[in-house]
Amino acid sequence: ITYKADYRVMFSSHNEYLEAFEHLQDTYTKVDNVVFILEPRNGNALSTEAIHAQQWLTERGWLLPYSIRVDSLSNFQHTYADGDELIVENLIPEDFDGSPDALRAVERRVNSEQTIRDHYLSPDGALSVVMVTLELPEDQTKALPELMETEGGVLALEAAFRAAHPDVTLHVTGLATSNYYLGTVAAQDMQVLMPLLLIVALALVGIMTRSVANTFVTLIIVAVAIVATMGGFGYTGIPLNNVSSVAPVVILTLAVAHCVHLLCYYSLRLREGHDGQRIEPERIP
């Protein structure tokens, strides 16, 4: 059984909006990305610690798997004129030392750039953004775990950042991370919630029907239904996605509901005096 974490499965192959979106990506570039949101505890994204954190994360963002571009406040291309020359350099210089003069220079540059607000810096100046643009393959099944879980991946970078800059809270989002966590959450549900749900359902069946045999029969029916359905997915080569991955939960719910209906009816007829061998349907006058 394979899993395909791709938002395209939510649309038909000829969906006009998906086609327009893919045409835009083919013309320019894809928008698969990882977005890091930095929230310094002092509430000032232009403080010394926050700026050093931005520079640290910007530098290491280039090293992420499939990374092709990193945009942040620290490497924003600041342009100004010096006599007859046009100078283009990073908004925050690499040798930024955190001195009061350096901080005032950064603030002047930020205030002079209209495109920074709402893009790299929140309006209140409390948050800043580092965005890593990725070039992922069409089939992201293996690429997403490589991006997130490897030694140089997002999770390792996140842990290293928190150790290096404890005074800055890091939030991670983006399209690539969303696709990854949709898959991992579905897998965790299968491993934890499914067994727990099955135990609770069987316990309720046993309590309601007051029969160990009925509980065992329900378990067999549920197991056969789930195994047959998921096995069909595996043998036909149809990958699971963010929607179809909840199939075992749906099957479990329906199977238990039908079993309860049948077993309760069977138990009711037994209490009415039937021997349990053959129950004739009631005639409707």
Side-chain angles (χ1 to χ4, degrees):
I1 299 176
T2 59
Y3 185 88
K4 188 173 183 179
D6 191 351
Y7 60 87
R8 291 179 178 84
V9 299
M10 305 294 181
F11 306 90
S12 65
S13 58
H14 300 293
N15 183 279
E16 59 177 321
Y17 299 106
L18 180 61
E19 290 179 347
F21 179 69
E22 291 179 338
H23 176 70
L24 184 66
Q25 288 187 321
D26 293 337
T27 303
Y28 298 98
T29 186
K30 293 185 177 180
V31 294
D32 293 322
N33 56 26
V34 178
V35 180
F36 299 97
I37 302 175
L38 288 74
E39 182 183 6
R41 293 183 181 178
N42 59 14
N44 183 10
L46 296 180
S47 62
T48 301
E49 175 61 23
I51 291 176
H52 283 153
Q54 293 170 32
Q55 291 180 311
W56 187 96
L57 194 57
T58 301
E59 179 182 353
R60 285 159 179 78
W62 288 102
L63 304 178
L64 288 176
Y66 305 102
S67 172
I68 60 173
R69 180 184 176 92
V70 179
D71 295 292
S72 72
L73 192 65
S74 64
N75 69 354
F76 181 85
Q77 297 299 284
H78 174 64
T79 305
Y80 64 95
D82 184 9
D84 294 334
E85 295 183 351
L86 186 64
I87 309 299
V88 180
E89 61 185 14
N90 290 342
L91 187 140
I92 300 176
E94 295 182 0
D95 58 353
F96 173 79
D97 58 5
S99 64
D101 291 339
L103 286 173
R104 283 193 293 269
V106 170
E107 291 179 359
R108 284 196 302 269
R109 291 184 174 188
V110 169
N111 293 329
S112 66
E113 297 286 352
Q114 298 297 325
T115 57
I116 289 180
R117 296 288 179 176
D118 296 331
H119 286 84
Y120 303 103
L121 193 66
S122 62
D124 60 359
L127 304 174
S128 61
V129 171
V130 176
M131 183 172 67
V132 181
T133 304
L134 310 170
E135 184 67 36
L136 294 174
E138 287 295 327
D139 186 2
Q140 301 180 5
T141 304
K142 295 181 179 179
L144 289 178
E146 181 182 355
L147 168 68
M148 299 295 296
E149 300 172 2
T150 56
E151 184 176 351
V154 173
L155 297 179
L157 178 61
E158 185 179 355
F161 178 90
R162 291 196 168 105
H165 301 279
D167 293 331
V168 180
T169 302
L170 183 67
H171 308 277
V172 184
T173 182
L175 185 59
T177 54
S178 297
N179 285 335
Y180 169 78
Y181 281 113
L182 284 173
T184 55
V185 168
Q188 291 173 1
D189 287 347
M190 291 285 290
Q191 297 173 2
V192 179
L193 294 183
M194 270 298 299
L196 181 62
L197 181 59
L198 181 60
I199 292 173
V200 172
L202 292 177
L204 291 176
V205 170
I207 293 173
M208 289 185 294
T209 62
R210 299 179 183 179
S211 172
V212 175
N214 289 346
T215 305
F216 181 75
V217 169
T218 302
L219 173 61
I220 296 299
I221 293 175
V222 170
V224 170
I226 294 177
V227 170
T229 303
M230 304 309 292
F233 270 97
Y235 279 113
T236 57
I238 301 175
L240 293 177
N241 55 53
N242 301 335
V243 176
S244 60
S245 61
V246 302
V249 177
V250 176
I251 295 170
L252 171 62
T253 304
L254 294 176
V256 170
H258 284 297
C259 287
V260 169
H261 292 157
L262 294 173
L263 292 173
C264 288
Y265 180 76
Y266 179 75
S267 299
L268 177 63
R269 301 297 286 181
L270 287 179
R271 286 197 296 270
E272 292 178 351
H274 293 273
D275 57 8
Q277 299 298 320
R278 185 170 183 269
I279 300 177
E280 295 289 343
E282 294 181 355
R283 295 183 179 273
I284 301 177

